[in-house]
Amino acid sequence: MNSFDVSLLLSGQYHDWLVSGFALSIKLALITLVFALPLALLVAVLRLAPLAMLRAVGVVFVEAIRNVPLLAHMLFWYFGAPEVLPEALKLWLYERNFEAASAVIALVLYTAAYMSEDIRSGIRSIPKEQMEASRALGFSFLGAMRLVILPQALRLTVPPLISQTLSLWKNTSIAMVIGVAELMYQAQQVESASFRGFESFAFATGAYLMISLAITGASAWYHHHHPVRSA
Amino acid sequence: MWEILQTYWLYYLIGQYPDGPLGGLSLTLVLAALALVLAFPVGIVLALCRLSPYRLLRWPVTAVVFVVRGTPLLMVVFWAYFLLPTLTGHVTDQFNTMLAALVLFDGAYLAEIIRAGIQAIPKGQMESARSLGFDYPRAMRLVILPQALRNMLPSLVNQFVSTIKETSLGYIISLGEVSFVATQINTQLLTRPAEVYLLLALTYFVLCFSLSRFAFWLERRLAAGTSHPGTR
């Protein structure tokens, strides 16, 4: 194997490819987070709703998504789903960045299913007397949820949500299968264009680790500043 | 979807076997099972190193576990695909590449499950085993691990579910597991991607959902078998 050529990573065309991939990976993770968090909250509340119908909707959502690999989700949303759309809408979609849109849909659903479970167990760890007391004071289910239960539950949910964010960060790499030009895709492009696999994979690994380390650091910071209070 | 299954069910289940390599759903299951079985001893060794009083063992292994858990599985797959041939001198096929990546990746995840399982066993167990004259390896093997592994059974079944989902990444290095076979069926049919990929999702769902229900059942059964929760 030739010696490690750092200059390839510091400037030039390959450097630009890798950096743009890195930026797109971060963008994918952030956009997913923005959509997945409220969806996860909605599903978690659905699963605890007083109506059996609503609870069933929540259960089906979570189980149907978690038991299928993210890769299959991506393939479905990219290749399968557009087929059932009307022709005009399909053309409109294909003119835009349809790869990235499918990847975001798959990532949002997948991440939300996992996060909703974390939020749900956070909510369930709040003593049920809290809900009963709020209802007795005249709050509706949603009012009690919003003003009494969730503010307490979400504090407890932050650490598992941070580790889900770490999974999300790693999961963005799977978007390469449908041709989204994120970090992993670009690393492979550089490898096949320059035969410099060692350098390009080292760059990608370093970049993934850097963000993972930052996320783990955030978790440690939160743990330090908001220690778990015993009830 | 039904017609697709009628035409392609055999291909979907076993790929080109026996005229070619084993593929499809069978390959997914073989790969996942083999990966978990091989990753298990790796996980035990890594966990014991992580719990070791010797820094020389603890620090490098902690670093390895952290690096593997901090990078996507896909990255590990690429490293294996790219590095194994340079190290061993001959080309590694897709199956063995994927297997090596899964063993390393799952080994690191199992290490943390096993570490938590060992740490959940009260310290008194090790202390009494040692005072009865067992040395550390024997106390670990005969007293601690059997109890820890029993508590970890449900987590292990869940890890198997994860491993089944992870084998789908073999698709990227053209390993003929079930996702890859589904894509080939899709390429032959051309006009019905929604049905093909729905079938694929459904296949994974049936497999993983029933396994995770099994883990749930196991958890309750094992919990019911313990008379004094928390003092185990």
Side-chain angles (χ1 to χ4, degrees), chain A residues 97-136:
Chain A
N97 195 344
F98 183 58
E99 292 87 10
S102 328
V104 166
I105 293 174
L107 279 168
V108 165
L109 293 176
Y110 198 73
T111 309
Y114 279 91
M115 285 186 163
S116 79
E117 287 293 279
D118 292 330
I119 298 174
R120 186 173 70 108
S121 63
I123 295 175
R124 273 165 46 113
S125 66
I126 304 298
K128 68 172 191 298
E129 289 81 10
Q130 295 271 342
M131 176 57 96
E132 288 164 3
S134 328
R135 296 303 293 269

Side-chain angles (χ1 to χ4, degrees), chain B residues 153-155 157-158 210-220:
Chain B
L153 264 179
S155 308
V157 180
N158 278 326
S210 37
L211 269 169
S212 61
R213 286 292 100 173
F214 174 63
F216 183 66
W217 175 83
L218 209 59
E219 198 167 357
R220 278 198 314 183

Side-chain angles (χ1 to χ4, degrees), chain A residues 106-188:
Chain A
L107 279 168
V108 165
L109 293 176
Y110 198 73
T111 309
Y114 279 91
M115 285 186 163
S116 79
E117 287 293 279
D118 292 330
I119 298 174
R120 186 173 70 108
S121 63
I123 295 175
R124 273 165 46 113
S125 66
I126 304 298
K128 68 172 191 298
E129 289 81 10
Q130 295 271 342
M131 176 57 96
E132 288 164 3
S134 328
R135 296 303 293 269
L137 285 171
F139 286 103
S140 64
F141 174 80
L142 284 180
M145 212 33 140
R146 185 167 63 88
L147 296 167
V148 180
I149 308 294
L150 284 181
Q152 302 181 71
L154 292 183
R155 262 180 65 103
L156 296 171
T157 313
V158 170
L161 285 187
I162 292 179
S163 67
Q164 286 304 341
T165 308
L166 178 59
S167 303
L168 161 64
W169 168 241
K170 295 190 286 173
N171 281 339
T172 57
S173 65
I174 297 176
M176 79 167 287
V177 291
I178 53 173
V180 180
E182 45 68 65
L183 181 55
M184 190 68 75
Y185 181 88
Q186 297 290 32
Q188 214 205 9

Side-chain angles (χ1 to χ4, degrees), chain A residues 63-64 66-69 71 75-76 79-80 83 110 114 170 173 177 184 188 197-198 201-202 205 208 212-213, chain B residues 66 69-72 74-75 78-79 82 109 165 168 171-172 191-194 197-198 201 204-205 208-209 213:
Chain A
E63 294 297 344
R66 286 207 314 177
N67 288 304
V68 174
L71 182 106
L75 293 177
F76 176 78
F79 293 111
E83 180 209 7
Y110 198 73
Y114 279 91
K170 295 190 286 173
S173 65
V177 291
M184 190 68 75
Q188 214 205 9
F198 196 75
F201 290 151
T205 308
Y208 278 115
S212 299
L213 198 65
Chain B
F66 184 82
R69 287 172 64 98
T71 45
L74 207 45
M75 200 78 243
F78 276 145
W79 276 118
F82 172 72
Y109 278 82
K165 297 202 300 178
S168 66
Y171 172 93
I172 288 153
T191 50
R192 299 156 78 180
Y197 288 118
L198 211 56
Y204 279 117
F205 176 79
C208 297
F209 182 74
R213 286 292 100 173

Side-chain angles (χ1 to χ4, degrees), chain B residues 10 21 26 31 71 81 90 95 108 122 141 155-157 167 186 226:
Chain B
L10 196 61
S26 322
L31 183 60
T71 45
Y81 204 49
H90 49 84
F95 183 82
R141 186 165 59 86
S155 308
L156 287 178
V157 180
T167 58
N186 181 41
T226 325

